[in-house]
Amino acid sequence: MKKATSLLSSAVFVVTLSGLLTACGPDRDEGNGSASEGSATPVNEEQDGAALEKPEVLTMWVNDEEVQLDAYEQIVEKYEEETGISVEITPFSMLDQLESLSLDAAAGGGPDLFYQPNDRLGDIYLQGLAAELDLTSEQLEGYTEGAIQALNYDGVQLGIPAVIETYALYYNTELVPEAPKTIEELEQIAADLTNASADEYGFLFEGTNFYYLYPFIEAYGGYVFDQNSEGVYDTSNIGLANEGTAEGANLIQSWYEAGYLPVGITDDIIKGYFRDGQVGAVISGPWNVSEFSEALGDQLAVAPLPTIDGKNLSSYSGVKGWLVNEYSENQYWATDLALYITNPENSLTYFEVAGELPARTDVEIDDELRQPFLQQAEYAVPMPNIPAMSSVWDPMGDAFEFISQGEDPQEVLEEAVQQIADKIALQEN
């Protein structure tokens, strides 16, 4: 997902995997009662026999991009061969699926599996459209912890992760021979290369987009919503005007004051400058790899974000994954299919065909431009997946517009928090 409003905190809540209820994966080799390759776990012989009865057909909605459809067609063909279950794929825009499910699922419409980004999880949960998944730690082994958490709502696991997106530091090796490891090194690059009168800069990013601002807020102790030990968000406790957030905002403001960041710069302008060799480094996501590579060729490199005070910056991540229809009669096997198509082997196939990064730690990506995004993903945190998060983007974007123009960060942030609280109150009433 390219935009903050469509996205997606592991540092904020921890899923206790061992506390999730046990649900064993089905037996792919009916002759010996043990799971074949690709199945999550062996079958428990004491399970209800009805749960193991194979349906003739499973249905899934796949986002209607050609490369994604091609990838899943290859993957499910193997599943069909192993299980004898036919899998019907329907191309359906990820962004349109929820509306259709809302209208038709309760009446028996919709697929067994559907595909959604984590930022929609709150609405999905409140509408009761996704089945609660009881998964073992063995079944969840290999998925990144943050990705699991991103598809967990108020302690309930609703999805199985497929892909993860976060941002990292692109740099032009002709201007920046080595990736900066610390924020001080990045600032030195800005000092050395910035010549605003010639539209030349050391580094750039959207300094008023909270999606990209979050790492610099979190580094000093800022947060969006507090969470309890079970991962439940407290929307009455907003940490966007605390001391840590203010310190991060002061850092960003200092870059505007020094001329490192031009006021009002947009993502399109940043990308244009970088393609044309006018910027040493930019913060952006994997969706720009092809575009930047075409423009810069061998001069393009990517690295994780630099550290602040020895701490890796926690970028925001977005996770897309598979959810089981609450009204499906095949929830057991639909869950098995979701685990199968996101296992290490098939996640690699999906990456090789569709180019999206797997939400797993056990998949080797032999791509020097995309591998650093997976490295950064180890420090990424999923955006809050509750409806209240929609109240955050605009007030924080406006706040940093004022901060970029020299307004007092603490005063501006306090006003933004009040606006956020007011918006949330309207949502709840």
Side-chain angles (χ1 to χ4, degrees):
M1 285 159 279
K2 300 182 182 179
K3 298 181 181 178
T5 52
S6 68
L7 288 176
L8 204 207
S9 159
S10 62
V12 195
F13 94 87
V14 177
V15 176
T16 306
L17 298 180
S18 61
L20 295 173
L21 298 178
T22 299
C24 296
D27 181 7
R28 299 187 189 284
D29 185 350
E30 293 178 284
N32 60 18
S34 63
S36 67
E37 183 178 354
S39 184
T41 58
V43 171
N44 182 339
E45 294 180 358
E46 296 180 0
Q47 285 181 289
D48 182 359
L52 302 179
E53 183 178 349
K54 291 182 180 180
E56 292 185 5
V57 179
L58 288 172
T59 57
M60 58 188 291
W61 285 351
V62 175
N63 191 41
D64 59 350
E65 291 190 18
E66 186 175 350
V67 290
Q68 296 179 29
L69 289 164
D70 288 346
Y72 281 122
E73 285 171 0
Q74 293 182 35
I75 292 168
V76 302
E77 184 177 352
K78 295 185 296 181
Y79 184 82
E80 291 175 325
E81 292 174 355
E82 290 190 27
T83 63
I85 299 172
S86 176
V87 179
E88 292 184 356
I89 291 177
T90 299
F92 203 141
S93 170
M94 174 180 66
L95 300 179
D96 296 333
Q97 291 180 17
L98 185 54
E99 181 179 359
S100 181
L101 280 169
S102 300
L103 295 172
D104 301 330
D112 296 303
L113 273 183
F114 61 104
Y115 185 69
Q116 287 293 294
N118 68 292
D119 66 311
R120 292 183 161 203
L121 212 63
D123 289 337
I124 291 168
Y125 177 81
L126 293 175
Q127 293 186 56
L129 298 174
E132 298 183 8
L133 304 179
D134 296 333
L135 302 169
T136 66
S137 58
E138 183 180 358
Q139 287 173 312
L140 293 173
E141 184 177 357
Y143 298 98
T144 67
E145 185 174 284
I148 295 169
Q149 295 164 2
L151 297 178
N152 185 294
Y153 189 85
D154 276 2
V156 176
Q157 195 68 34
L158 294 180
I160 295 171
V163 300
I164 188 169
E165 291 178 337
T166 192
Y167 38 92
L169 189 74
Y170 290 92
Y171 61 103
N172 183 335
T173 57
E174 186 172 290
L175 300 174
V176 182
E178 294 184 3
K181 292 183 171 55
T182 68
I183 203 68
E184 290 80 11
E185 291 178 9
L186 187 64
E187 289 176 321
Q188 188 60 54
I189 290 169
D192 293 341
L193 298 181
T194 297
N195 179 1
S197 63
D199 292 329
E200 296 173 353
Y201 297 93
F203 78 92
L204 291 175
F205 75 106
E206 284 188 274
T208 58
N209 186 335
F210 187 67
Y211 175 54
Y212 295 110
L213 287 164
Y214 176 79
F216 306 103
I217 299 304
E218 192 275 342
Y220 297 106
Y223 58 90
V224 181
F225 303 119
D226 190 26
Q227 285 180 297
N228 65 20
S229 59
E230 297 178 351
V232 178
Y233 288 102
D234 179 2
T235 58
S236 68
N237 186 337
I238 304 170
L240 293 174
N242 70 6
E243 184 178 344
T245 302
E247 188 170 355
N250 281 316
L251 174 66
I252 302 299
Q253 188 174 67
S254 74
W255 294 341
Y256 282 107
E257 292 172 345
Y260 300 159
L261 295 180
V263 175
I265 196 164
T266 65
D267 182 56
D268 286 340
I269 294 174
I270 291 170
K271 290 194 295 185
Y273 283 169
F274 189 64
R275 290 194 307 266
D276 294 340
Q278 296 169 249
V279 184
V282 297
I283 296 173
S284 192
W287 46 85
N288 286 321
V289 166
S290 296
E291 179 181 345
F292 290 163
S293 183
E294 182 177 347
L296 298 178
D298 292 340
Q299 294 172 204
L300 180 66
V302 183
L305 298 179
T307 62
I308 287 182
D309 296 333
K311 176 185 176 183
N312 292 95
L313 290 177
S314 296
S315 55
Y316 259 156
S317 67
V319 176
K320 292 177 283 190
W322 292 100
L323 286 70
V324 176
N325 188 341
E326 169 66 17
Y327 298 95
S328 167
E329 295 180 356
N330 303 310
Q331 290 185 9
Y332 181 83
W333 285 97
T335 303
D336 180 63
L337 175 59
L339 290 166
Y340 180 86
I341 63 180
T342 59
N343 72 20
E345 177 186 353
N346 293 318
S347 291
L348 180 59
T349 298
Y350 185 78
F351 167 76
E352 292 172 342
V353 177
E356 293 191 287
L357 298 173
R360 302 190 66 98
T361 61
D362 53 4
V363 178
E364 291 292 332
I365 301 298
D366 185 17
D367 187 318
E368 62 181 7
L369 295 179
R370 289 181 171 86
Q371 181 64 33
F373 289 101
L374 285 180
Q375 295 171 14
Q376 178 60 42
E378 295 179 19
Y379 310 108
V381 295
M383 290 171 297
N385 55 20
I386 56 176
M389 188 63 191
S390 65
S391 299
V392 172
W393 302 113
D394 287 344
M396 289 304 290
D398 292 342
F400 276 88
E401 288 281 0
F402 290 120
I403 288 168
S404 74
Q405 297 166 17
E407 296 289 328
D408 179 75
Q410 185 65 57
E411 293 181 5
V412 169
L413 290 170
E414 289 174 359
E415 292 175 4
V417 166
Q418 185 59 57
Q419 292 174 16
I420 293 167
D422 291 344
K423 285 176 173 249
I424 291 172
L426 286 174
Q427 280 184 340
E428 294 175 347
N429 291 330

